[in-house]
Amino acid sequence: MPSYQKNGAILMTGYNMTVTEQLAFTDALIRETVLPTLDASSKDAGKITLKLAPTSLADGPGSGSLPAATKSTKKWMLANFRLDIPDVDTSHVSKIDSFSVTQPIGDGHQRSGPLDFGDLAVTIAASHADTWKTWFDHFVIEGENGDTDEKRAILGLLSPTLDYLAHVVFCNLGIYRLEELPASIGNAAENMVAHLYYERAEFHLGVPLPEVCRNCYVGP
């Protein structure tokens, strides 16, 4: 059985990337992974937050140096994302609220209980929400929400040139609420927010491949 506990260190560097000090940790588990709010109007760079739970910490002097970032390094911007859901028009998704995955840690510093997957709140233009309404009516109003009715979706995190830097696969995805938002001041366009749940998620680097999320249930 694989060990999920890792040793490592956070390195602090000077302006020339020389390591000046380090904070070493032992037997760390990932307690929480947080993806920031994705917004088509944002100008900010994207960052994924990892919250670690180590058994011990130790300050110490640093040594050596780290390679500097090259000009070819591709930044991930919060405005650069793509959501794909089968049979749902996602071309006018403008925002996905921050979401997280949390791992309970119990006595003995061991994983305790199943992962807690935070829901998704997806903002779409009301003028392009027909397929979302159809999905909601089928899944919620008509009650057709069994395993075969759930979906598998892909959220791409893209470079400024819209290449895939990474992606998240959501398994057994369902919709449980669809609400209208009033038009904001100075903006005549109305939006809707779809609230989605999922039962499993996988994070991958690069372009989505057919074999990702093999543990998803995929209906006929």
Side-chain angles (χ1 to χ4, degrees), residues 148-165:
T148 58
D149 301 292
E150 293 176 326
K151 297 179 181 292
R152 176 168 60 185
I154 295 177
L155 172 61
L157 311 180
L158 311 178
S159 72
T161 56
L162 303 185
D163 298 315
Y164 278 89
L165 299 176

Side-chain angles (χ1 to χ4, degrees), residues 68-76 159-161 163 165:
T70 64
K71 292 183 179 180
S72 61
T73 300
K74 296 182 179 180
K75 287 186 177 181
W76 168 44
S159 72
T161 56
D163 298 315
L165 299 176

